[in-house]
Amino acid sequence: MNERIYMDYASTTFLRDEVIDTMKPYLTECFGNPSGIHEFSRVAKNAIEHSRENIARVLRCQRKEVFFTSGGTESNNWAIKGVAFANRKKGNHIITTKIEHHSVLYTCKYLEQNGFKVTYLDVDSDGIVNVNDINNAITDKTILVSIAFVNNEIGTIQDIEAISELCHNKNIIFHTDAIQAIGKIDISLDKYEFVNLLSISGHKIYGPKGIGILYIKDGTSIDNYIHGGSQEKGRRSGTENVYGIVGLSKAIELVCEDIDEENRKLKELRDYMIDRILKEIPNSRINGSLKYRTSNNINVCFEGIKDEGILLALDLKGICASSGSSCNSGSVNSSHVLQAIGLSSLEAQGSVRFTLGKNSKKEDADYVIEELKDIVKRYRG
């Protein structure tokens, strides 16, 4: 096997050719600063607003509700800090779960140091939060609930419709990190009408890195995030990433157009891999829900393996996988997500995440499984 096999699409994706073609003019001849008044600036400004309108059309929201950021981490930070500081006279209580992305958990920890109280809810062994637990955690000081649509490590899908409706009925702002959901789930905002804030990142959907979106439902009470200019209606100042915005718009358009066929293919390959792994590698089990799971996620625990050397062994065989969130790479700590669903520290360290994408093929899956069988046997020995 001479070519490398990439099974880490939840970490990042390649740029689709159509996205590159859309971005090219704004990397070369259309390089104007959108804040100017001459023709070069007008071209750049028009590109931004056309992209905003296109994204609003695809997501089924208002164009004035789409705000561009540098990516998912910034979008999550803005959503949580912005709501907290804008509503602190109303209350100081925030609810989230123990399995959120670190850009949510660390932001909540920061707010705890600044007078806010945070409830970190447990999830069940599948990684699902109980809606009744959210309801029971709500107090008269609760101002925000932030729960990811899809968990980035185990692919668990939460009941966002029910959670957002609960928050709406309690007059509480609801934010969801939809970074791993878009392209896998129809997140049309006319369907999820009670979602106040929603985060998206470009590089998870075959778009560019360094660009994202925070959807802010009209009327949501939230502070401005970056001060210093009039960009993004003065709410997020700084010269706009024009080519990134254009690329993100095209990526969102394509991934939402392809969603049904792409999910069918990915689910078929995912189930094939899961079936072979569980049948052919003794003492292996899937982490997370099999029923409420995105089409591309395979997170598997190999009992008896006590360190993450398995990833290095896979890499030496030309296979790219991960142990969880790429934002936590280099950490010697076990996954907080896997421990929250009941795995021991050793079991968490013996778990591997394979995530599939557009270039994933059955012959690649077969190669990965054959190598994986040998690696697991060797490490257990």
Side-chain angles (χ1 to χ4, degrees), residues 103-124:
S103 61
V104 169
L105 294 178
Y106 290 178
T107 301
C108 288
K109 294 295 184 185
Y110 166 79
L111 289 174
E112 284 184 294
Q113 297 170 7
N114 287 272
F116 292 88
K117 296 181 179 179
V118 182
T119 297
Y120 301 92
L121 293 175
D122 289 319
V123 294
D124 65 19

Side-chain angles (χ1 to χ4, degrees), residues 7 9 266 269-270 273 295-296 298 354-358 360:
M7 289 195 172
Y9 283 88
L266 291 177
L269 186 58
R270 179 203 70 183
M273 287 189 67
S295 60
N296 71 327
I298 304 162
F354 299 99
T355 44
L356 310 174
K358 290 194 75 65
S360 299

Side-chain angles (χ1 to χ4, degrees), residues 270-288:
R270 179 203 70 183
D271 291 347
Y272 172 77
M273 287 189 67
I274 289 175
D275 186 61
R276 281 201 62 188
I277 288 170
L278 296 184
K279 284 181 177 177
E280 299 176 34
I281 303 179
N283 300 316
S284 60
R285 67 177 189 272
I286 298 299
N287 298 322

